[in-house]
Every structure is written in C-alpha cells, then in structure tokens.
Amino acid sequence: MGNTQEPRWLDAEEQQSWLTFAYMLIRLPAALDAQMQRDAGISQFEYLVMAGLSMCPGHTLRMSDLADFTASSLSRLSNVVGRLEKRGWVTRTPDPSDGRYTRAVLTEQGREKVVASAPPYVEEVRRLVFDPLNTAQQRQLREISRRILHANDPDDPCIDDPLGALRDAAGPATPPA
C-alpha cells in the first residue's frame, strides 16, 4: 500500500534556500573543474584522487578506501586511475597484506603534478568559497556541511575529519611493492 500521508512541502523560504543551495551544488564543482582543466589539464576529480594519495603515508591507499575518500564508485575510480596510469602519475599494485585488494600508488611524477596543480586550485577554492565569507561564516559552512552529510550517511568516517579518515585508512607507511 502507498503512503497516504501528505508530503511535507517546502514553504517559500525553504524553497528559496533549497534552490539557491542546489544551484551552488551545480555551479561550484563546474567552476572548480574548469579551473583545473584550464590550469592543469586534468579534471578536479583526477586532482582529488592524486591529492588524496599525496596525503597518505607512502602515497599509497587501497582502491576501495580511495573510492570512499572521493565519494565515488570503484568502477569510476578504476577508470580514472587507468587514465592516470597512462600518464605515469599513478600505478596499481596488489596489496601485500591481502592480495584480494589493489593499492593505488602515486608516482614521483604524480606527486610533482599535484605540487604544480595545487596553488592555482587552492587559490580558486579560496576565491570562490572562503573569501566571500567571514571566519564565523566559514565555521558555519563546515558545521552545516557536516550536519547535512551526517543526515546522508551518519557512519561515514570522512565527515568529521576527512584527512584523519584518509590517513587511518592508509595505515602506517609501507613502501610500494
């Protein structure tokens, strides 16, 4: 049987807030992706994959954990890592502690690409997100984002401390195989 309860429609103010937020959810990633394409010749997603690896001990992470960090499917991540491998920026190796897993490893060339790509990316993030807000609003943005993410997936370890979750997933530094 269908639900006979009346939907909780948005009032005019909620609808205005939602539509503004939804528009930002579309426009901000597009602007950041355009900057990365223009300045680095890679997508923002490719950059985030390599930047995530660059922050891990040994620049290495299981593909499944990297998929969690980038909020992507293993299939999408595998396709992107394949493109990064062709450019010499990432390699894949079996996980020596459990051969059922595959690790992504940032190469030295990949690390150099991240280092070269980071300054213009960070400047664009600063210009589009942080500069329009004062310090209190920046903290509010973090808290609002955290609350929305918790409503979406309360068990996601990346919500409260994305870098800590990434480093925890990576474990202690181990040299690439």
Side-chain angles (χ1 to χ4, degrees), residues 26-40:
I26 295 167
R27 294 293 303 261
L28 182 61
L32 292 170
D33 201 54
Q35 177 277 317
M36 288 304 299
Q37 290 290 347
R38 180 183 65 244
D39 294 342

Side-chain angles (χ1 to χ4, degrees), residues 45 49 62-81 92:
F45 186 76
V49 167
R62 282 182 175 173
M63 291 283 289
S64 54
D65 292 325
L66 189 54
D68 289 343
F69 176 74
T70 58
S72 70
S73 67
L74 272 173
S75 175
R76 178 183 186 205
L77 180 64
S78 185
N79 288 331
V80 168
V81 169
R92 283 184 267 202

Side-chain angles (χ1 to χ4, degrees), residues 89 106-118:
W89 295 333
L106 188 68
T107 67
E108 182 58 30
Q109 288 176 313
R111 193 191 70 71
E112 290 168 5
K113 182 66 174 175
V114 170
V115 168
S117 303

Side-chain angles (χ1 to χ4, degrees), residues 10 51-52 61 63 75 142 147 153 159 163 166 176:
L10 301 178
L61 192 62
M63 291 283 289
S75 175
R142 181 179 61 232
R147 285 175 178 245
D153 183 358
I159 294 171
L163 291 178
L166 181 68

Side-chain angles (χ1 to χ4, degrees), residues 62-164:
R62 282 182 175 173
M63 291 283 289
S64 54
D65 292 325
L66 189 54
D68 289 343
F69 176 74
T70 58
S72 70
S73 67
L74 272 173
S75 175
R76 178 183 186 205
L77 180 64
S78 185
N79 288 331
V80 168
V81 169
R83 287 195 306 269
L84 297 174
E85 278 183 307
K86 288 177 183 171
R87 296 174 104 171
W89 295 333
V90 174
T91 60
R92 283 184 267 202
T93 62
D95 187 326
S97 65
D98 187 338
R100 297 174 296 174
Y101 294 97
T102 299
R103 298 185 318 168
V105 181
L106 188 68
T107 67
E108 182 58 30
Q109 288 176 313
R111 193 191 70 71
E112 290 168 5
K113 182 66 174 175
V114 170
V115 168
S117 303
Y121 178 74
V122 170
E123 185 55 39
E124 190 73 344
V125 168
R126 181 170 297 289
R127 183 181 77 80
L128 295 174
V129 178
F130 291 98
D131 289 349
L133 305 175
N134 64 37
T135 303
Q137 290 168 327
Q138 291 171 13
R139 288 186 191 113
Q140 288 173 328
L141 176 65
R142 181 179 61 232
E143 181 59 21
I144 290 166
S145 298
R146 195 182 67 71
R147 285 175 178 245
I148 291 170
L149 290 167
H150 267 291
N152 182 58
D153 183 358
D155 298 323
D156 185 342
C158 289
I159 294 171
D160 293 315
D161 183 7
L163 291 178

